[in-house]
């Protein structure tokens, strides 16, 4: 995989900014990348092309190739730039508030840039910012007693919950997904679909009506996070209890090998 992604690795991790020869250029890799992000934010990832970016910048398409080899490498740069710096780890508040803050920040990123969902699927190279997000989430779980594999799995589960909500919001989009929360988009779409169809979907109609009546809608992100965290906490407690339990048949306080 890395051989096929050599261009992305060079741009993401090699720090290449401008051609080494010739006069000081008017373009920059950052300017090209941010123009591409603006296009994707407005019209989706499919709208991004080297020709379109060149037109937006009033340069020729060939000028862009002096900075970035092609769209694959450009998308890699777009992802890492759009992700931005990860939130600083929260200290002294416990792992749940720290991981919740991380999750809410990541949800906001997908909310601002819906094109990140398809862009971050499949084999690819992660950049410094994206890897920093993983580092930040793992740091939140530092004192939980989970081993490395379990911490990574926990981050994958939380990330999956966030992505699922964002994807559903996009697929059921009513209006602009950047103007409302994913839960608001889903609620509006469900209400619209259920008009005149309550007999066919009585359970769904009742659930939506109940959520609206007690103002408990628009909480899918928080609800899911809390249930995931409850599961992790229960797992941690079981492990602690198992390790603290004396061996079967052993007297409390007895030393192994005593006569």
């Amino acid at each position: 995989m890395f051989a096929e992604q050599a261009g992305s690795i060079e741009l993401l991790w090699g720090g290449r900014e401008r051609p080494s020869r010739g006069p000081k250029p008017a373009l920059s890799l950052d300017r090209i990348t941010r123009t591409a992000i603006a296009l994707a934010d407005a019209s989706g990832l499919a709208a991004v092309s080297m020709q379109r970016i060149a037109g937006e910048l009033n340069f020729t398409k060939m000028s862009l190739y002096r900075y970035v080899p092609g769209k694959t490498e450009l998308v890699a740069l777009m992802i890492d730039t759009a992700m931005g710096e990860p939130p600083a780890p929260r200290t002294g508040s416990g792992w749940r508030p720290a991981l919740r803050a991380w999750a809410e920040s990541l949800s906001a990123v997908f909310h601002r840039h819906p094109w990140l969902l398809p862009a971050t699927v499949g084999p690819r190279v992660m950049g410094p910012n994206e890897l920093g997000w993983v580092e930040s989430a793992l740091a939140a779980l530092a004192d939980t007693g989970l081993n490395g594999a379990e911490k990574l799995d926990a981050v994958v589960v939380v990330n999956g919950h966030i992505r699922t909500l964002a994807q559903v919001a996009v697929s059921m989009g009513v209006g602009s997904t950047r103007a409302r929360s994913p839960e608001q988009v889903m609620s509006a779409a469900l209400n619209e679909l259920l008009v005149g169809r309550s007999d066919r979907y009585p359970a769904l109609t009742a659930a939506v009506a109940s959520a609206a009546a007690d103002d408990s809608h628009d909480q899918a992100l928080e609800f899911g996070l809390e249930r995931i965290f409850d599961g992790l906490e229960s797992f941690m407690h079981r492990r602690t209890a198992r390790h603290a339990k004396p061996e079967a048949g052993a007297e409390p306080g007895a030393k192994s090998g005593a006569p």
Side-chain angles (χ1 to χ4, degrees):
M1 182 188 79
F2 287 126
E4 297 173 355
Q5 300 288 339
S8 297
I9 293 173
E10 180 185 0
L11 290 176
L12 288 168
W13 293 96
R16 192 178 79 172
E17 170 61 24
R18 61 168 66 114
S20 58
R21 295 181 180 179
K24 183 178 179 180
L27 275 175
S28 71
L29 199 54
D30 183 69
R31 188 180 174 195
I32 293 169
T33 302
R34 293 189 183 281
T35 300
I37 290 173
L39 286 171
D41 287 346
S43 306
L45 194 60
V48 176
S49 69
M50 302 298 276
Q51 185 66 54
R52 180 84 178 271
I53 297 168
E56 292 286 329
L57 295 171
N58 293 318
F59 279 85
T60 65
K61 184 169 70 172
M62 293 307 297
S63 299
L64 272 59
Y65 288 120
R66 299 175 65 201
Y67 295 85
V68 57
K71 186 173 179 178
T72 297
E73 293 80 8
L74 177 60
V75 170
L77 289 169
M78 291 169 61
I79 292 170
D80 208 55
T81 302
M83 290 292 297
E85 291 283 343
R90 294 180 56 170
T91 59
S93 61
W95 69 269
R96 288 181 74 130
L99 194 55
R100 183 184 299 107
W102 179 90
E104 290 171 350
S105 296
L106 183 59
S107 178
V109 170
F110 283 122
H111 194 53
R112 289 192 299 270
H113 309 291
W115 56 269
L116 279 171
L117 292 166
T120 52
V121 173
R124 61 191 182 81
V125 176
M126 291 195 296
N129 284 337
E130 192 176 5
L131 212 60
W133 279 84
V134 179
E135 175 71 17
S136 180
L138 292 174
L141 295 166
D143 299 323
T144 59
L146 298 177
N147 62 36
E150 291 162 349
K151 291 175 185 175
L152 286 169
D153 287 342
V155 173
V156 168
V157 172
V158 173
N159 182 63
H161 173 57
I162 295 167
R163 288 183 64 94
T164 297
L165 283 180
Q167 185 62 61
V168 170
V170 171
S171 65
M172 299 175 68
V174 177
S176 171
T177 57
R178 292 185 293 276
R180 290 183 287 174
S181 71
E183 293 92 339
Q184 288 174 319
V185 172
M186 286 186 283
S187 295
L190 286 173
N191 281 317
E192 185 174 328
L193 289 171
L194 289 171
V195 173
R197 301 183 176 96
S198 58
D199 291 344
R200 185 176 181 181
Y201 305 103
L204 182 56
T205 299
V208 172
S210 174
D214 60 15
D215 199 28
S216 61
H217 58 292
D218 299 339
Q219 296 179 10
L221 176 63
E222 179 66 16
F223 181 85
L225 289 176
E226 286 301 306
R227 300 298 74 76
I228 292 170
F229 295 166
D230 286 347
L232 286 172
E233 193 163 47
S234 177
F235 177 75
M236 295 171 197
H237 287 165
R238 290 199 304 272
R239 167 171 290 175
T240 300
R242 185 167 62 247
H243 288 173
K245 186 177 180 180
E247 295 181 6
E251 293 293 332
K255 295 183 179 180
S256 177

